[in-house]
Amino acid sequence: MDNYSDVYIKLFPSCKPVKGYRRGIICDLENMTYHLVPNSLIDLLELLTNTKLKDIEKVVEDDSLQVLNEYTSFVLDNNLGFITEDPVSFSDIETLFHHPSTISNAILVSGSDSQHDYPDILNQLDQLNCKGLELRFFYSPTEDELNDILSLAEDSRLQSIDLILKHSPYMNDTYFIDLVTKYRRLSYIQVHSAPFDHEYYIEENFAFLRYTSVRIIDNSFCGCISPKNFAVNVLLFTESLNFNNCLNKKIAIDEDGKIKNCPSMQNSHGTITNTKLKDVVENEEFRQLWGLTKDEIDICKDCEFRYICTDCRAFTEHGEVASKPSKCNYDPYNNSWRNVES
């Protein structure tokens, strides 16, 4: 680093350091990946933003110079930062979260006995400018039933639809490729209770198809925390900083028509047959958990993954509002996962 001593080292605006209890990560929001780093590297980067490298080299012990060089090389080699003579000329990206929709995403659960008025529900979601919808079926809908529901969404404001449904003999890769070609809003399809496990990315349509032998018979299946579900992007990162990244701007209707923050939660705010979604959203009690951030949740607040990991308030340790998700098996105090597939 001799050639760079008379400079500052600054992270790119899209690279965000996050300190945990024992280690940290640098989230590369542009490339949608993260790097595990020592907390001491994050401390050094804060110092290097305002202090020239040569001034730091003057005060560190000889045996620490190698570590200093390794740290700075790591940042530059991984394209996480850059050298500059004038760090104040580079502004940071805005970390406030803003979404124009009253409701950004919704979950609609259907059982074999559900009596949902799909046109009315989709119309109400449109009025809230909802952009994402998960259709969750505990049974196997017929092809005609599925087409009828997805056709309704064609003229809606929805931008993406996730589909979770029970396996049926008519379901195969060819069928689903045709389905996502016809209904371009489909971005994710999970077929549960399948006789096999299989994943397939439909590249032409930017859609992901997953078959799983796991049987889904109720809403208790969700809320599992796993590194394979981490998402490194600006939207989730900024939302996690400012709001609860699971419940913020979300609304759900369960298989019985009950309106909830999440289908897995016990508390409901009326039924869709006699309550308007708009009225529910305007209720402060319904929005109470929207602002509960990861920095306010026990154990999560000490976790280095807290801004790239989705939360769960339906299943928590001890059943308390601000407790760690009970389906998270990560321990930030010793950096270990328990019984989790990475």
Side-chain angles (χ1 to χ4, degrees), residues 136-140 164-167 190-197 210-222 224 327:
R136 185 183 298 178
F137 296 89
F138 294 143
Y139 66 102
S140 302
I164 299 177
L165 69 171
K166 185 178 180 180
H167 182 266
Q190 176 173 303
V191 184
H192 65 84
S193 308
F196 54 87
D197 294 284
R210 180 182 182 222
Y211 300 87
T212 175
S213 56
V214 174
R215 295 179 65 245
I216 297 177
I217 59 174
D218 56 34
N219 293 303
S220 64
F221 78 96
C222 67
C224 297
K327 295 186 182 182

Side-chain angles (χ1 to χ4, degrees), residues 108-147:
L108 177 56
V109 185
S110 297
S112 57
D113 297 325
S114 296
Q115 301 293 320
H116 294 323
D117 184 342
Y118 291 101
D120 179 63
I121 292 173
L122 288 174
N123 181 58
Q124 290 193 52
L125 290 175
D126 257 8
Q127 293 174 17
L128 297 171
N129 200 23
C130 181
K131 299 302 183 185
L133 174 64
E134 178 184 300
L135 294 171
R136 185 183 298 178
F137 296 89
F138 294 143
Y139 66 102
S140 302
T142 65
E143 295 181 62
D144 288 342
E145 183 181 1
L146 205 52
N147 274 293

Side-chain angles (χ1 to χ4, degrees), residues 33-44:
T33 187
Y34 68 89
H35 299 263
L36 291 167
V37 297
N39 281 332
S40 54
L41 171 54
I42 296 177
D43 292 334
L44 174 65

Side-chain angles (χ1 to χ4, degrees), residues 66 104 137 147 178 182 229 260 263 267 272 279 319 331 340:
Q66 182 179 349
S104 63
F137 296 89
N147 274 293
D178 291 341
K182 184 177 182 179
N229 295 327
K260 301 179 176 182
N267 191 34
I272 192 63
D279 294 335
D331 185 346
V340 172

